[in-house]
Amino acid sequence: MNGMNAAIVDVTTAFFRYDNRVPLKFGHEVSTGGETVLVRVTLQGEDGRTACGHGETPLAAAWSWPSELSQKTRVQRMRAFCTTLGAAWRQETTAGHPMEIGAHFLEARLGECLTKENANRPEAEQMPYLAALVCCSAFDLALYDAYGKLHQIPVFDCFNAKYMNRDLSTYYTEEYRSEFQGRYPEAYLVPRGKAPASIAACHLVGGKDPLTVDDLTGKEPRDAYPVLLEDWIDRDGLKNLKIKLTGNDAVWDYERIVRVGRIALKKNIENLTTDFNCTVEEPAYVCDMLDRLKAEEPAIFDRILYVEQPFPYDLEKHRIDVHAVSGRKLLLMDESAHDWRFVAQGYALGWNGVALKTCKTLTGAMLSLCWARQHGMAIMVQDLTNPRLAIIPHVLLAANAGTIMGVEVNSMQFCPDASRDEARIHPGLYKRNHGCVSLESLGCTGFGYRLEEIRQAAEAEGEKA
């Protein structure tokens, strides 16, 4: 033990509802708002000192729990599961570094909690592991924030031998241990002190988003934010776009790529990506589309940096060989990359990149990042429409991971008012400027939320009103 260890002494949870200004389409579902879980974890160090940390995650049922059940029902189930997890985290007795505590909970406790949750509802649809992982992530994030505060360091400065009791070899199975012997996560991150103060932002072009005036219905919001894609590009100085597709309507998908692509060419967009949201069943669907683009719209094809998760996220059930797709463009795992084991499975099937998300726990994201980097896979950090505090660890992960294209952030498009309080202290994180988001306003311990200043600014604004 290195004297830097900590143990959990208290856990609390709260929930916050928010509305979208415009709908966001996920596959066959449309979301008009959401709910986040905000977790506070109190840690105690070996010297008796304590520190509180926070983690927040949207309970994104449309993304993590595809189902015919209503989103309201799924979110209620996830909310109840967060309460169950709160009790389990409060009873966690493992002491050490956050990665040790987080990995132990993921390996030994999360599955057990999910099994009990589903057993208690035998007549109801079973909650999938991905939804449980999303619920768990807020607790894991709060753990890291508290640890950074306890030791007065930024979270991403703690992934080295000074703070960790065990090297990476102890977190992987026997076949990979020799690769990670004597190595710590820090070896796979941007060098300490070198993370950029601002990073490129990727804008999401949702399936319901109007592209031109011809798409307007008259039902668009009349507020301070853009509606049309070109207006977003001009206002925020965007250089990167992600296109949401259906994955089951080739005519619509191709036309959508071409329409967005032509706007991208006109506005000097540097990179495009395509997201099929796990709905494609055969590689030929994607290959044919890419081949047609290359033949008919080569300039648009050239700007496509990667293809994101076309195929069902359950890799064990859908063991699809994807080399044909990844031979044409980078192919990034997203929903299927639950943890490093799934990344390894995907790599064997032909996936050559992985999109990380803090909403699947920072512990899991770091272990996936290290495995992927060790095996030459590309790294990206993708959004979950992260409002409020949720965006901060997300953007910090991207800055410290060194991604292939900055970070996807879209809460400022779909639910900007949800982050009104946080934006007063961190304006550069909740609005893209010159195509980037800025980390300059963040504090220097934990995730740098500056919660007290956020609270004081909100109270002052309330008094003015």
Side-chain angles (χ1 to χ4, degrees):
M1 293 290 181
N2 61 15
M4 300 292 184
N5 299 296
I8 295 171
V9 294
D10 192 30
V11 177
T12 63
T13 57
F15 301 90
F16 296 89
R17 172 77 196 172
Y18 63 90
D19 295 319
N20 287 354
R21 59 178 288 272
V22 290
L24 176 56
K25 194 170 188 294
F26 287 89
H28 69 280
E29 291 193 78
V30 176
S31 292
T32 58
E35 189 166 338
T36 71
V37 56
L38 175 65
V39 173
R40 185 182 71 178
V41 167
T42 304
L43 286 183
Q44 184 174 55
E46 293 177 310
D47 59 3
R49 292 181 304 112
T50 61
C52 294
H54 293 78
E56 188 164 20
T57 302
L59 301 179
W63 173 82
S64 64
W65 188 348
S67 169
E68 296 302 319
L69 291 175
S70 70
Q71 286 189 46
K72 180 178 179 180
T73 297
R74 283 172 282 162
V75 170
Q76 287 175 339
R77 291 271 302 276
M78 292 174 74
R79 180 173 175 158
F81 188 60
C82 287
T83 302
T84 299
L85 286 177
W89 275 97
R90 205 173 293 117
Q91 296 164 4
E92 179 59 50
T93 58
T94 303
H97 184 273
M99 184 170 278
E100 289 178 278
I101 300 171
H104 177 265
F105 195 93
L106 290 174
E107 295 289 338
R109 304 294 302 280
L110 180 59
E112 176 185 283
C113 290
L114 179 60
T115 298
K116 289 181 180 178
E117 173 74 14
N118 285 329
N120 289 335
R121 302 173 185 268
E123 304 304 318
E125 181 179 310
Q126 302 288 278
M127 180 187 294
Y129 179 74
L130 182 56
L133 197 59
V134 167
C135 294
C136 190
S137 65
F139 299 88
D140 184 80
L141 288 167
L143 178 67
Y144 281 92
D145 186 46
Y147 188 83
K149 288 182 174 179
L150 185 66
H151 295 295
Q152 293 294 293
I153 58 170
V155 166
F156 285 91
D157 282 4
C158 80
F159 292 104
N160 51 59
K162 178 178 178 180
Y163 295 97
M164 299 179 70
N165 299 302
R166 299 154 43 191
D167 67 21
L168 278 169
S169 67
T170 63
Y171 292 92
Y172 298 105
T173 51
E174 184 64 37
E175 62 189 303
Y176 302 114
R177 283 179 186 158
S178 62
E179 299 179 42
F180 295 100
Q181 193 76 41
R183 298 179 72 83
Y184 293 84
E186 184 177 79
Y188 301 95
L189 297 172
V190 172
R192 265 186 291 169
K194 300 294 186 181
S198 68
I199 55 175
C202 184
H203 174 94
L204 176 66
V205 184
K208 304 286 283 187
D209 290 7
L211 303 182
T212 68
V213 291
D214 294 335
D215 298 324
L216 297 175
T217 65
K219 297 180 180 179
E220 292 77 22
R222 297 171 181 262
D223 55 21
Y225 304 99
V227 172
L228 299 179
L229 179 57
E230 286 194 35
D231 294 336
W232 275 113
I233 293 170
D234 291 340
R235 192 197 80 153
D236 291 358
L238 300 170
K239 293 296 181 183
N240 304 288
L241 303 178
K242 170 177 168 178
I243 310 168
K244 283 278 189 181
L245 302 170
T246 68
N248 52 28
D249 184 340
V251 173
W252 190 92
D253 285 350
Y254 184 81
E255 179 184 338
R256 188 70 167 181
I257 295 172
V258 170
R259 290 188 68 204
V260 174
R262 288 177 177 167
I263 293 171
L265 296 176
K266 174 185 174 184
K267 305 301 289 187
N268 296 315
I269 294 296
E270 295 172 0
N271 296 296
L272 298 172
T273 72
T274 57
D275 181 3
F276 294 87
N277 276 120
C278 312
T279 50
V280 177
E281 297 181 354
E282 296 291 339
Y285 185 98
V286 182
C287 292
D288 291 348
M289 197 164 299
L290 291 174
D291 291 346
R292 184 180 174 192
L293 284 168
K294 188 174 183 179
E296 299 177 1
E297 303 283 349
I300 295 174
F301 176 85
D302 288 344
R303 278 170 171 74
I304 296 177
L305 181 62
Y306 64 83
V307 174
E308 180 186 337
Q309 193 71 47
F311 309 110
Y313 75 74
D314 188 342
L315 281 186
E316 294 176 325
K317 183 177 179 181
H318 302 275
R319 294 190 62 81
I320 302 171
D321 187 308
V322 298
H323 285 88
V325 180
S326 60
R328 287 166 166 83
K329 289 287 182 182
L330 270 175
L331 180 63
L332 269 60
M333 304 173 71
D334 184 359
E335 287 86 349
S336 61
H338 299 346
D339 59 33
W340 73 266
R341 292 179 179 85
F342 287 92
V343 174
Q345 287 182 34
Y347 180 75
L349 291 169
W351 299 80
N352 50 9
V354 59
L356 303 175
K357 281 185 164 80
T358 51
C359 68
K360 291 188 282 191
T361 75
L362 182 57
T363 295
M366 291 300 297
L367 291 172
S368 292
L369 182 155
C370 295
W371 195 97
R373 273 264 155 74
Q374 180 67 20
H375 293 87
M377 299 178 77
I379 300 292
M380 186 58 190
V381 172
Q382 302 287 77
D383 203 0
L384 180 68
T385 309
N386 283 308
R388 294 170 49 91
L389 296 182
I391 195 175
I392 294 177
H394 167 74
V395 173
L396 280 169
L397 174 61
N400 285 274
T403 66
I404 58 173
M405 192 188 68
V407 62
E408 184 205 339
V409 283
N410 63 58
S411 62
M412 59 281 292
Q413 300 171 233
F414 296 99
C415 52
D417 288 348
S419 308
R420 188 185 298 114
D421 292 343
E422 293 78 8
R424 293 189 188 97
I425 302 301
H426 306 294
L429 268 175
Y430 296 91
K431 179 180 182 297
R432 286 106 30 132
N433 295 290
H434 306 292
C436 297
V437 287
S438 171
L439 295 81
E440 291 180 350
S441 62
L442 295 179
C444 57
T445 63
F447 288 120
Y449 295 133
R450 298 171 59 189
L451 286 176
E452 184 59 24
E453 293 167 80
I454 291 172
R455 183 188 64 78
Q456 290 174 356
E459 289 177 354
E461 189 67 25
E463 290 172 3
K464 289 180 185 178

